[in-house]
Amino acid sequence: MNGLCFWLNGKELCYDGSAGDRLLDVLRDKYDLKSVKCGCKEGECGACAVLIDGVLMNACCVAMGAVEGHEVLTVEGYRETERFKALSKAFADLSAVQCGFCIPGMVLAAEALLRVKPHPTEEEVRRALSGNICRCTGYNAIVNAVLNAAKEGDGLW
C-alpha cells in the first residue's frame, strides 16, 4: 500500500495526501466522519477528540504523519462496542445531552478515563473531562452519566 497507512475504526487505510495535513480535516473531509467536530482548531475545546492507540488526542493538533502505523478511533467506530452502549445509556438516562456538539469528545474522554480507571471518583471524572468544553449542560449531568456508566457497566472496563 502507498501513502501513510494507519488503522481507522478497525480498518487499515492508506492516506495519499500530505503528512502535514491535519487529522481533523482528513477524518471529516476524506473519510466523512462527522463525529469529529471542528470547534476551536487550537486543541482547547475537545470537540475533535479521538483516541489514538487508546490515548485521547485533539485531532486538530495532530498531523497525518503522526498517525502512520497507529490506531485511530472515532465515535463512529466506538459506537459498535458494549462500552459505548453503557455510556450512551447513561447519557440518555441522566439527560446529559443537550445540543450534542460536545458529546462525541465527552464520550471518548470518558472512555479514555474508564479504560485506565474503571471506578473513578467524581474529581477524576471532572479532571478527565476538563479538556472538553460544553456550553449547554453545566457538566454535572455529564459527570454523573460517566459515574453511572462506570457503575452500571461494571466489568466492561
Side-chain angles (χ1 to χ4, degrees):
M1 292 188 198
N2 295 326
L4 301 166
C5 297
F6 65 107
W7 291 86
L8 178 59
N9 296 329
K11 181 179 178 184
E12 187 175 20
L13 300 173
C14 291
Y15 176 67
D16 58 2
S18 170
D21 289 348
R22 281 189 320 175
L23 177 59
L24 165 66
D25 299 326
V26 172
L27 292 175
R28 287 186 60 79
D29 299 340
K30 179 162 179 64
Y31 299 112
D32 200 34
L33 299 172
K34 302 306 185 195
S35 73
V36 186
K37 306 286 195 292
C38 183
C40 68
K41 296 184 184 180
E42 297 176 354
E44 295 294 325
C45 73
C48 66
V50 297
L51 295 175
I52 300 176
D53 296 336
V55 177
L56 190 69
M57 303 287 290
N58 289 324
C60 69
C61 296
V62 176
M64 284 303 297
V67 301
E68 186 169 22
H70 295 279
E71 169 71 32
V72 177
L73 184 66
T74 68
V75 166
E76 286 85 354
Y78 182 61
R79 72 179 171 210
E80 304 302 321
T81 68
E82 291 301 313
R83 290 175 174 188
F84 173 82
K85 291 174 187 167
L87 278 167
S88 179
K89 181 179 183 325
F91 273 66
D93 288 350
L94 296 172
S95 301
V97 178
Q98 287 187 14
C99 84
F101 191 82
C102 71
I103 296 304
M106 291 285 189
V107 166
L108 290 177
E111 166 61 19
L113 169 65
L114 294 172
R115 69 174 36 195
V116 297
K117 185 82 175 183
H119 300 286
T121 64
E122 180 180 336
E123 179 58 34
E124 289 169 327
V125 173
R126 289 186 183 282
R127 194 173 323 114
L129 300 179
S130 68
N132 298 73
I133 295 173
C134 176
R135 297 176 187 198
C136 300
T137 67
Y139 299 95
N140 290 333
I142 295 171
V143 169
N144 290 333
V146 174
L147 290 169
N148 191 54
K151 179 181 167 192
E152 296 298 319
D154 190 31
L156 289 176
W157 288 277

